[in-house]
Amino acid sequence: MAEAVGQIRDEEISEAQIAVHWREEEYYYPSPAFIGQANLTDPDINRRFSIEKFPDCFKEYAELLTWDQYWHTILDTSNAPFWRWFVGGKLNACFNCVDRHLAKYRNKAAFIFVPEPEDEPVVVLTYQELYNRVNEVAAMLRDFAGLKAGDRVTFHLPMTLDLPIMMLACARLGIIHSQVFGGFSGEACGLRIADSGSRVLVTIDGYYRNGRVIDHKVNADIAVQVAEQNGQKVDKVIVCKRHPGRNLSSAPMVKGRDFFFDEIMKEFANRKVDPVSMPSEAPLFLMYTSGTTGKPKGCQHGTGGYLSYVAWTSKYIQDIHPEDVYWCMADIGWITGHSYIVYGPLAVAATSVIYEGVPTYPDAGRPWRIAERLNVNIFHTSPTAIRQLRKSGPNEPQKYNYRFKHMTTVGEPIEPDVWRWYYEVVGKGQAVICDTWWQTENGGFLISTKPALDPMKPGSAGPPLPGIFPVIYDEEGNEVPAGSNRAGNLCIRNPWPGIFQTIWGDPERYVNQYYKRYCRNPNSKDWRDWPYFSGDGAMQAADGYFRILGRVDDVINVAGHRLGTKEIESACLTVEEVAEAAVVPVVDELRGRMPEVYVSLKPGVTPSKAIEEKVVHAIETIIGKIARPKRVWIVPDMPKTRSGKIMRRILAAISNTMEIGDTTTLLNPEVVEQVRQMVQGTGKVEIKAGPEDIRRFGEER
Ligand code: WTA
């Protein structure tokens, strides 16, 4: 199905249109102490990675890895835009993350697992012990589950050590893993199992979240059923246990299909499995993300290019040294966790902390107690988590004796005010901050300050990474002049090693969605003709720094998690009383953006609280609790164009108390005022933004 990408039609609304325009901020500079120890201090880097040096400059990335067979072609564009990096090379990702560190770091912690219950002791997994476990699990995946290189396996796992061990065991054998975020519903998991063609599912009995035990195995039963309805049989479900020897789930085990992990592993104690040497372009994993249609897309990442990209950026942007204790508080179920909890940090022999629970459990001092106790010195989280921690414990950080040298933020724009709290209070004025912009499709950071080289500017992600050449295009495909502070569609001129390879099973959608928009010549084999369309709006200031405005498509970034409005709308339409549904982004003080739902009911149905609750319930079961809307409004009718299209833009203006604009050309202009009064009340409301804030891209701001 052809998708309209980045074309904001009159009736549509996108995040970028409700973006708030911050004023330019002053620079903050990295401290001499940070610079003195940093991995990247050579200003010559910009020359080494200039566009004339592309793509050969990326040799430096490949050199961070250990290759079984060295590559011969750095970038093959013969099947553009399906890029192939480090062609001819062979390597194993697990070997690069585990085995090769044994000689020097055998007894150093690879992972430190912090359970959510504070009285449960932390678990330290050394590189040696990680090696042992990964080998045993690889043996099980091969000999018990019958998996081999190229097969797909789905994980629906929360934040415990089972997840990275499973991932690395797959990587050892060339099995393609597809981890579905643990907070997604069983149904959402089932659809992803079917799309990826996995016949094995790995899950867990339960886990802790916000002080409660979550029964997770129940989701597996739904997932298997939904997968089957969608044409994919799952013949083995492997159930890990949160506490060895105990079962936290009430769900029955299905005989011949469900197996407890600890029971099947007995047979594999002390087994060793040689890493399988994989071609550089062999797929390493799939990561599903939301797009502009209801169907989630499986972003396929390769081995050599991806691993080199996350290794380089972990070393030089996150400034990870093997001596550091690094904690990324994201979930491994998202790309940030894959790249910057597991693959990147391990490729550079880091000690990586994995925290099971929510940041504010049991109180807002928890992260700082963890940091103090484990001596964490690099911290990585999202603006949503920072806002929450600030709100519930603005003075907590100073009560604890930890010291960060480096802090990362990712996933959403960070307000300058929130940035400053992060800098002054969490970082105690000593840590550098990298505001990193990138996407599931990108593999790793694309825009960020180089921590020892570039000054920081609150509210602005910064300059592009070495070897990344962004460009902003307007709707007509003209380049918005660099440094002009004019908004437009953020694109990247060139491919880079971390870029995803395709959408699993749908190469056409890959081309249409990401490359068609600004392609100069569809027959070209030259990368210069194929700019990558990111789906984000952005503007570039005179100093070259980029400010990200948010999505220009039907995706909403809720608390840093990508959700498709179309997915949420289809969930609403499963409620039998609902006739029509429209989902719009609404600004939220804590979560950045949230979905707000408008529904109209079938003739004869009376609106009720019960229907509202049914809508919320449908969204939570079909997608997951993360998609829970801020409000559900049952409206008498949707504002529509004469051709019958729902004017989501008007609904968003109402939800965000923005100027509504002209409605006289609508089919049913009277509905607008009815809906407005319902949402905003009958009193006078203060308009937060006028039409000047929802200008078209490419116009002067
Ligand atoms: C948004 C997460 C502003 C953006 C790694 C992008 C950001 C989407 C930033 C990708 C940032 C990510 N500032 N916005 N530093 N980083 N985004 O695929 O809209 O889960 O398109 O990848 O998050 O989300 P995804």
Side-chain angles (χ1 to χ4, degrees):
M1 183 173 134
E3 293 172 51
V5 283
Q7 268 151 11
I8 307 170
R9 290 181 305 269
D10 239 5
E11 64 272 16
E12 299 287 344
I13 174 76
S14 77
E15 277 189 1
Q17 289 171 291
I18 58 166
V20 181
H21 291 277
W22 303 316
R23 63 179 177 82
E24 283 285 294
E25 299 280 332
E26 300 287 319
Y27 288 131
Y28 286 67
Y29 293 87
S31 70
F34 179 82
I35 298 170
Q37 59 80 61
N39 281 329
L40 179 58
T41 50
D42 179 6
D44 193 42
I45 180 103
N46 290 329
R47 197 193 49 77
R48 276 192 283 131
F49 282 84
S50 65
I51 197 141
E52 300 75 47
K53 302 267 163 46
F54 180 86
D56 294 334
C57 52
F58 283 113
K59 186 168 191 280
E60 197 172 313
Y61 283 50
E63 243 123 65
L64 290 177
L65 303 180
T66 306
W67 297 83
D68 302 330
Q69 183 180 304
Y70 206 66
W71 44 274
H72 51 70
T73 305
I74 193 154
L75 171 65
D76 172 4
T77 63
S78 61
N79 189 24
F82 299 88
W83 318 114
R84 297 169 78 217
W85 282 92
F86 308 127
V87 184
K90 286 184 132 189
L91 79 168
N92 182 277
C94 176
F95 177 89
N96 273 276
C97 289
V98 185
D99 304 42
R100 67 168 176 157
H101 301 317
L102 292 178
K104 219 166 152 189
Y105 299 115
R106 194 176 296 278
N107 285 316
K108 189 178 103 80
F111 289 118
I112 304 179
F113 171 64
V114 182
E116 190 188 75
E118 214 165 355
D119 52 6
E120 201 184 313
V122 302
V123 181
V124 177
L125 209 59
T126 60
Y127 273 94
Q128 175 67 39
E129 186 53 16
L130 177 64
Y131 170 80
N132 296 338
R133 303 248 192 126
V134 164
N135 271 279
E136 291 167 350
V137 172
M140 183 277 285
L141 292 174
R142 186 185 63 190
D143 300 341
F144 173 78
L147 295 166
K148 57 174 189 324
D151 289 348
R152 280 81 55 212
V153 56
T154 297
F155 306 148
H156 194 204
L157 289 169
M159 288 287 281
T160 66
L161 288 171
D162 300 298
L163 178 49
I165 292 171
M166 286 285 167
M167 288 164 65
L168 292 162
C170 285
R172 197 163 189 84
L173 296 171
I175 300 164
I176 304 168
H177 57 76
S178 169
Q179 153 69 4
V180 176
F181 170 58
F184 272 133
S185 66
E187 285 207 46
C189 179
L191 289 176
R192 289 159 175 79
I193 292 175
D195 190 79
S196 64
S198 304
R199 49 173 199 79
V200 176
L201 169 67
V202 182
T203 186
I204 196 167
D205 58 342
Y207 60 100
Y208 294 89
R209 188 126 192 107
N210 223 357
R212 296 210 332 260
V213 177
I214 309 284
D215 184 340
H216 191 62
K217 162 68 169 59
V218 292
N219 295 317
D221 300 318
I222 301 167
V224 169
Q225 202 188 346
V226 170
E228 224 152 281
Q229 285 158 3
N230 285 274
Q232 178 61 43
K233 188 164 162 35
V234 175
D235 50 43
K236 282 194 174 68
V237 177
I238 297 171
V239 186
C240 301
K241 283 184 187 152
R242 173 62 178 77
H243 299 285
R246 264 167 72 190
N247 182 2
L248 295 178
S249 174
S250 59
M253 296 288 279
V254 176
K255 208 169 168 342
R257 185 198 76 182
D258 298 355
F259 303 89
F260 279 120
F261 176 73
D262 56 355
E263 288 168 16
I264 50 180
M265 284 309 292
K266 287 190 185 123
E267 206 188 308
F268 298 97
N270 290 320
R271 286 275 292 275
K272 297 285 177 285
V273 173
D274 285 338
V276 177
S277 197
M278 299 297 293
S280 175
E281 326 88 271
L284 182 61
F285 65 85
L286 307 180
M287 172 62 66
Y288 281 86
T289 190
S290 296
T292 54
T293 63
K295 198 173 169 234
K297 39 193 182 184
C299 294
Q300 176 186 316
H301 280 284
T303 307
Y306 170 81
L307 197 63
S308 74
Y309 201 78
V310 295
W312 196 96
T313 48
S314 292
K315 180 165 181 180
Y316 294 112
I317 302 297
Q318 308 263 49
D319 197 50
I320 300 177
H321 303 58
E323 302 74 37
D324 293 324
V325 180
Y326 165 83
W327 179 17
C328 170
M329 211 166 57
D331 194 293
I332 301 176
W334 305 106
I335 191 70
T336 298
H338 274 48
S339 298
Y340 296 116
I341 297 178
V342 181
Y343 285 114
L346 258 60
V348 299
T351 293
S352 178
V353 175
I354 296 181
Y355 173 53
E356 176 179 30
V358 301
T360 48
Y361 181 81
D363 57 69
R366 185 69 192 277
W368 325 127
R369 284 199 290 284
I370 294 171
E372 178 184 81
R373 181 163 174 116
L374 302 181
N375 213 9
V376 172
N377 66 342
I378 307 179
F379 185 65
H380 184 158
T381 193
S382 66
T384 289
I386 302 168
R387 289 185 212 108
Q388 268 157 357
L389 288 164
R390 180 195 191 196
K391 186 165 183 212
S392 42
N395 303 315
E396 285 299 304
Q398 67 210 41
K399 298 184 190 158
Y400 299 95
N401 187 20
Y402 67 84
R403 196 190 153 151
F404 295 150
K405 67 165 185 177
H406 185 299
M407 303 189 299
T408 304
T409 153
V410 63
E412 324 149 57
I414 180 165
E415 301 79 356
D417 189 38
V418 177
W419 192 100
R420 272 189 288 273
W421 183 77
Y422 197 31
Y423 185 82
E424 303 291 352
V425 182
V426 178
K428 305 180 177 178
Q430 294 167 336
V432 293
I433 295 181
C434 288
D435 178 350
T436 58
W437 173 81
W438 60 296
Q439 314 172 297
T440 303
E441 296 86 341
N442 307 158
F445 308 146
L446 294 186
I447 294 181
S448 164
T449 48
K450 294 175 282 300
L453 288 170
D454 305 320
M456 302 157 254
K457 191 163 75 172
S460 192
L465 255 69
I468 303 297
F469 301 95
V471 52
I472 297 177
Y473 287 116
D474 67 14
E475 292 295 315
E476 283 74 49
N478 306 308
E479 275 186 30
V480 171
S484 63
N485 251 331
R486 277 166 55 186
N489 292 316
L490 178 58
C491 298
I492 311 291
R493 290 181 199 276
N494 61 307
W496 61 95
I499 183 74
F500 71 142
Q501 300 178 304
T502 186
I503 294 175
W504 180 260
D506 203 346
E508 206 183 321
R509 189 175 177 195
Y510 164 84
V511 178
N512 287 339
Q513 179 84 55
Y514 300 97
Y515 292 100
K516 201 170 166 187
R517 183 77 200 278
Y518 293 115
C519 176
R520 286 193 202 94
N521 167 10
N523 299 317
S524 172
K525 309 274 171 243
D526 186 339
W527 58 265
R528 290 168 193 82
D529 292 324
W530 292 95
Y532 166 82
F533 173 75
S534 74
D536 272 328
M539 46 209 269
Q540 191 190 26
D543 59 6
Y545 280 36
F546 287 89
R547 173 174 302 176
I548 310 300
L549 299 171
R551 304 287 311 188
V552 297
D553 52 12
D554 315 341
V555 171
I556 309 184
N557 212 320
V558 184
H561 305 320
R562 257 166 84 171
L563 298 170
T565 52
K566 295 286 179 283
E567 279 169 73
I568 306 176
E569 288 172 5
S570 359
C572 299
L573 293 172
T574 64
V575 175
E576 56 173 335
E577 292 88 348
V578 171
E580 286 181 306
V583 171
V584 300
V586 56
V587 174
D588 180 79
E589 192 197 327
L590 282 182
R591 294 158 73 81
R593 302 277 182 276
M594 282 186 80
E596 192 146 278
V597 171
Y598 288 86
V599 290
S600 65
L601 304 180
K602 288 182 182 154
V605 184
T606 329
S608 69
K609 194 86 205 145
I611 298 178
E612 270 175 45
E613 277 158 18
K614 268 173 108 170
V615 169
V616 173
H617 182 73
I619 295 171
E620 289 188 353
T621 26
I622 294 172
I623 303 171
K625 285 207 164 44
I626 42 163
R628 195 187 170 90
K630 190 160 175 152
R631 277 294 301 259
V632 176
W633 300 104
I634 301 181
V635 294
D637 196 3
M638 298 283 184
K640 285 186 185 147
T641 61
R642 295 244 157 103
S643 58
K645 295 219 174 76
I646 302 177
M647 289 291 285
R648 291 179 178 76
R649 185 176 59 72
I650 289 181
L651 296 171
I654 294 173
S655 284
N656 292 288
T657 43
M658 291 165 84
E659 196 112 316
I660 293 167
D662 181 25
T663 57
T664 50
T665 58
L666 294 189
L667 182 69
N668 49 0
E670 71 291 348
V671 167
V672 176
E673 184 52 22
Q674 284 174 27
V675 175
R676 195 195 66 74
Q677 288 194 9
M678 177 180 238
V679 176
Q680 299 176 352
T682 44
K684 203 171 153 41
V685 291
E686 192 193 327
I687 299 296
K688 289 189 195 140
E692 69 273 16
D693 291 294
I694 38 175
R695 277 184 189 158
R696 293 284 148 177
F697 280 1
E699 286 176 31
E700 206 79 48
R701 294 261 165 184

Short mmCIF file of all heavy atoms in Angstrom, two decimals, residues 68 97 195 208 234 342 358 373 435 445 503 513 559 626 632 673 693:
data_model
loop_
_atom_site.label_atom_id
_atom_site.label_comp_id
_atom_site.label_asym_id
_atom_site.label_seq_id
_atom_site.Cartn_x
_atom_site.Cartn_y
_atom_site.Cartn_z
N ASP A 68 36.59 -12.14 11.35
CA ASP A 68 37.15 -13.46 11.00
C ASP A 68 37.76 -13.38 9.61
O ASP A 68 38.74 -14.05 9.30
CB ASP A 68 36.05 -14.53 10.99
CG ASP A 68 35.34 -14.60 12.33
OD1 ASP A 68 36.00 -14.31 13.36
OD2 ASP A 68 34.14 -14.93 12.36
N CYS A 97 31.28 -9.14 21.34
CA CYS A 97 30.76 -8.56 22.58
C CYS A 97 31.21 -9.33 23.81
O CYS A 97 31.15 -8.79 24.92
CB CYS A 97 29.23 -8.52 22.54
SG CYS A 97 28.60 -7.30 21.37
N ASP A 195 4.42 -11.74 11.81
CA ASP A 195 5.12 -10.99 10.75
C ASP A 195 6.55 -11.49 10.57
O ASP A 195 7.05 -11.56 9.45
CB ASP A 195 5.12 -9.49 11.07
CG ASP A 195 5.62 -8.68 9.89
OD1 ASP A 195 4.82 -8.47 8.96
OD2 ASP A 195 6.81 -8.29 9.88
N TYR A 208 8.70 -7.67 38.24
CA TYR A 208 8.24 -6.62 39.15
C TYR A 208 8.15 -5.29 38.44
O TYR A 208 9.06 -4.91 37.69
CB TYR A 208 9.21 -6.49 40.34
CG TYR A 208 9.21 -7.73 41.20
CD1 TYR A 208 10.08 -8.78 40.93
CD2 TYR A 208 8.31 -7.86 42.26
CE1 TYR A 208 10.06 -9.93 41.70
CE2 TYR A 208 8.29 -9.01 43.03
CZ TYR A 208 9.17 -10.04 42.74
OH TYR A 208 9.15 -11.18 43.50
N VAL A 234 3.30 -21.40 16.49
CA VAL A 234 4.43 -21.38 17.43
C VAL A 234 4.48 -22.75 18.06
O VAL A 234 3.53 -23.19 18.69
CB VAL A 234 4.20 -20.31 18.53
CG1 VAL A 234 5.30 -20.37 19.59
CG2 VAL A 234 4.14 -18.93 17.89
N VAL A 342 23.06 -3.17 25.39
CA VAL A 342 23.66 -4.47 25.08
C VAL A 342 24.81 -4.35 24.07
O VAL A 342 25.98 -4.41 24.46
CB VAL A 342 22.58 -5.47 24.60
CG1 VAL A 342 23.21 -6.83 24.30
CG2 VAL A 342 21.48 -5.62 25.65
N VAL A 358 10.66 0.67 37.58
CA VAL A 358 10.39 2.06 37.22
C VAL A 358 11.31 2.98 38.03
O VAL A 358 11.64 2.68 39.17
CB VAL A 358 8.91 2.46 37.42
CG1 VAL A 358 7.99 1.58 36.60
CG2 VAL A 358 8.49 2.39 38.87
N ARG A 373 25.51 3.47 44.92
CA ARG A 373 25.94 2.14 45.35
C ARG A 373 26.84 1.47 44.31
O ARG A 373 27.83 0.82 44.65
CB ARG A 373 24.72 1.27 45.62
CG ARG A 373 25.12 -0.08 46.08
CD ARG A 373 24.01 -0.85 46.75
NE ARG A 373 24.51 -2.18 47.02
CZ ARG A 373 24.68 -2.68 48.23
NH1 ARG A 373 24.37 -1.98 49.29
NH2 ARG A 373 25.16 -3.90 48.37
N ASP A 435 22.58 15.31 24.02
CA ASP A 435 21.18 15.17 23.60
C ASP A 435 21.26 14.48 22.24
O ASP A 435 21.61 15.09 21.24
CB ASP A 435 20.54 16.55 23.50
CG ASP A 435 19.09 16.50 23.02
OD1 ASP A 435 18.63 15.43 22.58
OD2 ASP A 435 18.42 17.55 23.08
N PHE A 445 23.23 6.83 17.22
CA PHE A 445 23.10 8.30 17.21
C PHE A 445 23.43 8.90 15.85
O PHE A 445 24.41 8.52 15.22
CB PHE A 445 24.10 8.94 18.20
CG PHE A 445 24.07 8.39 19.59
CD1 PHE A 445 25.24 8.31 20.34
CD2 PHE A 445 22.88 7.99 20.17
CE1 PHE A 445 25.22 7.82 21.64
CE2 PHE A 445 22.85 7.50 21.47
CZ PHE A 445 24.03 7.41 22.21
N ILE A 503 12.77 -3.27 5.58
CA ILE A 503 11.67 -3.67 6.45
C ILE A 503 11.43 -5.15 6.18
O ILE A 503 11.27 -5.56 5.02
CB ILE A 503 10.39 -2.86 6.15
CG1 ILE A 503 10.62 -1.39 6.50
CG2 ILE A 503 9.19 -3.44 6.92
CD1 ILE A 503 9.46 -0.49 6.13
N GLN A 513 8.71 4.44 2.01
CA GLN A 513 8.63 5.20 3.24
C GLN A 513 9.84 6.10 3.47
O GLN A 513 9.71 7.21 3.95
CB GLN A 513 8.52 4.20 4.39
CG GLN A 513 8.45 4.84 5.75
CD GLN A 513 7.04 5.27 6.07
OE1 GLN A 513 6.13 4.47 6.02
NE2 GLN A 513 6.87 6.52 6.40
N ALA A 559 6.15 9.60 25.71
CA ALA A 559 7.18 9.30 26.70
C ALA A 559 8.38 8.63 26.02
O ALA A 559 8.99 7.73 26.56
CB ALA A 559 6.61 8.40 27.79
N ILE A 626 1.14 1.45 27.42
CA ILE A 626 1.84 2.68 27.01
C ILE A 626 1.01 3.54 26.08
O ILE A 626 1.25 4.73 25.95
CB ILE A 626 3.19 2.41 26.30
CG1 ILE A 626 3.05 1.25 25.32
CG2 ILE A 626 4.32 2.22 27.27
CD1 ILE A 626 4.18 1.24 24.33
N VAL A 632 -10.55 10.26 26.50
CA VAL A 632 -11.38 9.81 25.38
C VAL A 632 -12.58 10.74 25.34
O VAL A 632 -13.27 10.91 26.35
CB VAL A 632 -11.88 8.36 25.59
CG1 VAL A 632 -12.83 7.94 24.48
CG2 VAL A 632 -10.70 7.40 25.68
N GLU A 673 -17.61 23.92 17.23
CA GLU A 673 -17.89 24.65 18.46
C GLU A 673 -18.45 23.72 19.54
O GLU A 673 -18.08 23.82 20.71
CB GLU A 673 -18.85 25.82 18.16
CG GLU A 673 -19.16 26.73 19.33
CD GLU A 673 -17.92 27.28 20.07
OE1 GLU A 673 -16.81 27.33 19.49
OE2 GLU A 673 -18.06 27.66 21.27
N ASP A 693 2.28 29.37 14.89
CA ASP A 693 3.01 28.21 15.37
C ASP A 693 2.76 26.96 14.55
O ASP A 693 3.42 25.95 14.74
CB ASP A 693 2.65 27.93 16.83
CG ASP A 693 3.20 29.01 17.73
OD1 ASP A 693 4.43 29.10 17.81
OD2 ASP A 693 2.40 29.77 18.29
#
